[in-house]
Amino acid sequence: KLKLANNFAGAMKNIAMIAATNRGQGVVDRLISRNQTYTFTSTFFSRSSTYNPNNRTASYVGNPWRSTVPVDGGSFNSMIAMAHEMFHGYDQSFSQYTDPSKFGAGKYQLEPRAVSFENYMRQAYGMSPLRNKYGNMDGNFNQYNNPTERITNFTELGGNQDGTSYGFSYTKTITVPMKMGEGEATSTSQQQYMIVSRDKDNNVSYKIYNNEQEYNDATKDW
């Protein structure tokens, strides 16, 4: 389960932005479908974003006051902070943290993967620059290059009366590169809609709609 501790509206927007991408959807789906609970809590300071594998709790900055990650560079917002910590949870769900008490020993593999997921999200949303380091650590920070997928016109559409569901719309464009000598790349764009919801225990779910009428039908009682 993917559970929210606070900052419900902001967190649900972050989740919508992450799940709008192909790889992000897989990450969010993985956490939602697990029997274990992955809890996300908003914090104030940018550098307090952390993931604790012992209790599967992620802290992420809810309202960054700087546009870059201190020291390490890279365009930055709350969604990017959540995405980084979320990918640690994703890795743990595949037993990448075989011994949570020794996470420090494994960070040289896990942190480049989380930064790579950050950069995947940056590429999807046209955010620059990318992040190219994690402290003094050497590693590949672009393991998930994303040259074919773009999310544009991401818009908040409002929520229901009790604030347990929020709607969003966005344009998703997929570019298919052609092989050498076979012509130009082709792009396909689709307007999509999403509702992100939380239940009485603040566990998150979401649903994607491929046209406005479906979305309007789902939200007519809001």
Side-chain angles (χ1 to χ4, degrees), residues 5-191:
N6 57 10
N7 187 36
F8 300 122
M12 292 160 82
K13 178 183 177 181
N14 289 345
I15 290 168
M17 294 184 74
I18 295 169
T21 69
N22 291 342
R23 185 176 292 276
Q25 183 175 355
V27 171
V28 173
D29 286 352
R30 176 74 178 177
L31 299 192
I32 286 176
S33 67
R34 304 297 291 169
N35 290 328
Q36 300 92 343
T37 298
Y38 298 82
T39 302
F40 288 79
T41 182
S42 172
T43 63
F44 179 75
F45 293 105
S46 297
R47 291 186 68 84
S48 62
S49 292
T50 59
Y51 181 76
N52 185 342
N54 294 296
N55 57 13
R56 296 181 299 275
T57 297
S59 300
Y60 67 96
V61 58
N63 185 26
W65 55 274
R66 294 185 62 167
S67 60
T68 59
V69 181
V71 181
D72 288 346
S75 57
F76 192 56
N77 60 22
S78 181
M79 179 272 289
I80 292 296
M82 177 183 275
H84 181 107
E85 307 309 333
M86 186 179 288
F87 203 80
H88 284 320
Y90 178 77
D91 269 348
Q92 186 177 16
S93 77
F94 286 103
S95 301
Q96 295 293 326
Y97 293 75
T98 53
D99 184 351
S101 68
K102 297 180 180 179
F103 169 53
K107 68 181 180 180
Y108 294 96
Q109 290 77 42
L110 298 171
E111 292 297 353
R113 286 169 55 81
V115 173
S116 293
F117 185 58
E118 284 184 45
N119 283 336
Y120 170 91
M121 298 302 302
R122 289 185 177 97
Q123 289 175 311
Y125 283 91
M127 297 171 59
S128 61
L130 302 183
R131 186 177 179 183
N132 59 12
K133 60 182 178 178
Y134 186 93
N136 295 321
M137 185 183 301
D138 293 325
N140 179 1
F141 301 111
N142 292 285
Q143 298 176 37
Y144 314 119
N145 280 340
N146 185 17
T148 63
E149 181 184 15
R150 293 292 180 271
I151 306 295
T152 55
N153 304 318
F154 189 92
T155 304
E156 300 177 58
L157 301 177
N160 61 1
Q161 292 185 5
D162 59 7
T164 56
S165 294
Y166 289 89
F168 307 90
S169 67
Y170 52 92
T171 303
K172 186 170 187 173
T173 301
I174 303 295
T175 301
V176 180
M178 291 296 177
K179 295 181 180 178
M180 185 176 297
E182 293 187 1
E184 298 180 355
T186 58
S187 297
T188 302
S189 296
Q190 183 178 16
Q191 184 74 11

